[in-house]
Amino acid sequence: IRPEAGRVLRDGYTFLRTLDHVMRLLVERHSSRLPAQTELLARILKYRGAAAFEEDYQRHTKAIRAVYLETFS
């Protein structure tokens, strides 16, 4: 795996793991789906708003998917 791919996976893992912890605290159970309203998540994770959080979420998930496709396709 390329060093850059490793960084993408590490950063994505850190982001998604932190998100998972916050969501477990909010809904008191594991959930693999983002809530329809992400304002509270964004505020807890110290984003300037829901749009900034959602952009970061999309960036991480797309980058992880690209590494996966590059590695396993």
Side-chain angles (χ1 to χ4, degrees):
I1 187 167
R2 297 177 299 108
E4 178 57 30
R7 282 189 290 279
V8 165
L9 294 176
R10 181 196 64 221
D11 293 348
Y13 176 82
T14 301
F15 173 83
L16 293 172
R17 199 68 186 137
T18 301
L19 175 58
D20 181 60
H21 288 306
V22 170
M23 287 178 55
R24 283 177 191 236
L25 291 171
L26 289 177
V27 297
E28 297 180 351
R29 63 181 169 78
H30 175 72
S31 176
S32 59
R33 293 180 181 253
L34 287 178
Q37 303 295 322
T38 58
E39 290 85 7
L40 181 58
L41 281 175
R43 193 170 43 238
I44 291 170
L45 294 169
K46 302 191 184 325
Y47 282 88
R48 290 185 177 259
F53 163 74
E54 291 170 13
E55 286 174 20
D56 213 19
Y57 177 83
Q58 291 296 322
R59 181 178 61 82
H60 281 292
T61 55
K62 285 179 182 179
I64 291 167
R65 180 74 175 157
V67 169
Y68 176 85
L69 291 174
E70 175 185 299
T71 303
F72 298 108
S73 293

